[in-house]
Amino acid sequence: MKEQVVLKNINEFDNKSLLIVDDDNPFRERLARAMEKKGFEVIQAESVQKGVECVKTKKPGFAVVDLRLGDGNGLEVVKQIQNSNVESRIIMLTGYGNIPTAVAAIKEGAIDYLAKPADAEDVEKALLADPSKKAAPPENPMSADRVKWEHIHRVFELCNRNVSETARRLKMHRRTLQRILSKRSPR
């Protein structure tokens, strides 16, 4: 029997402000629009510095923070949020999901840790889930092939689309990488 995850309603919260800190502008804009439709009052920031400034001016009740930002680590924003509002519910997002960063995010005060690309439904479920209940497994998790494809493309973008540099960092042959990059994304 499948356990039902009990979600609170956004209207049950006094502070409906949601801070989204992410340097991926299209992703941040899409997530902001979707979360506004769900009843959140969205504030956006694209850097650690702007995220900290937003926290000082308006203490958010909710936050979605990317781990790696252009000017530093998203954990700095999480610390600032926790210092200003202990009751805030913070979700960490990252394209680099691993155990040490997940542990660090939880220690700093995040309630959940989601791998990119996360959609608005996943973010809403994580933000509004009852903290005393166990989280349900994702309905449609990414396949192993899709996770691999996403990781390769993320490293490729971080290497400024340089195939040779990406292949060296991923410890794979350049031709193999070129074949992977030429294919469509798996489902």
Side-chain angles (χ1 to χ4, degrees):
M1 186 169 138
K2 190 174 172 182
E3 185 178 322
Q4 272 294 357
V5 175
V6 179
L7 294 180
K8 292 185 175 189
N9 188 318
I10 183 62
N11 295 321
E12 294 176 29
F13 294 91
D14 294 330
N15 186 352
K16 296 179 182 122
S17 62
L18 168 64
L19 173 63
I20 301 175
V21 184
D22 199 316
D23 54 0
D24 181 352
N25 293 332
F27 172 77
R28 189 183 68 245
E29 292 288 334
R30 274 193 316 272
L31 183 60
R33 281 193 304 274
M35 298 311 282
E36 282 174 346
K37 288 179 183 175
K38 295 177 179 298
F40 290 90
E41 299 163 6
V42 178
I43 309 156
Q44 295 185 48
E46 64 273 358
S47 66
V48 171
Q49 180 184 356
K50 290 185 179 177
V52 169
E53 289 171 9
C54 289
V55 170
K56 289 178 181 175
T57 57
K58 175 145 183 155
K59 297 173 177 34
F62 301 92
V64 177
V65 182
D66 191 8
L67 180 66
R68 291 191 184 176
L69 297 163
D71 65 340
N73 193 319
L75 289 175
E76 295 173 38
V77 180
V78 173
K79 287 178 194 174
Q80 190 69 36
I81 294 168
Q82 280 296 300
N83 290 339
S84 69
N85 182 2
V86 181
E87 296 296 314
S88 61
R89 301 171 65 81
I90 306 164
I91 304 297
M92 237 23 234
L93 284 181
T94 187
Y96 305 93
N98 63 30
I99 302 297
T101 53
V103 170
I106 301 301
K107 282 183 178 179
E108 292 301 335
I111 60 169
D112 208 342
Y113 188 89
L114 300 175
K116 278 185 170 180
D119 66 359
E121 296 296 322
D122 294 336
V123 171
E124 182 187 33
K125 282 180 185 177
L127 288 172
L128 301 178
D130 185 346
S132 64
K133 303 284 186 199
K134 185 177 177 184
E139 291 286 326
N140 298 315
M142 282 193 285
S143 69
D145 289 336
R146 176 66 186 211
V147 172
K148 176 183 170 187
W149 188 88
E150 292 282 344
H151 176 68
I152 289 170
H153 276 268
R154 176 83 172 167
V155 174
F156 181 60
E157 291 299 325
L158 290 171
C159 291
N160 296 319
R161 304 179 67 81
N162 181 324
V163 175
S164 297
E165 177 66 14
T166 305
R168 186 184 64 73
R169 289 179 183 239
L170 292 172
K171 296 177 177 55
M172 68 175 21
H173 196 278
R174 188 179 53 78
R175 287 189 192 144
T176 303
L177 176 61
Q178 286 176 310
R179 278 195 300 275
I180 292 169
L181 292 172
S182 68
K183 294 180 181 177
R184 291 179 178 242
S185 65
R187 290 187 178 211

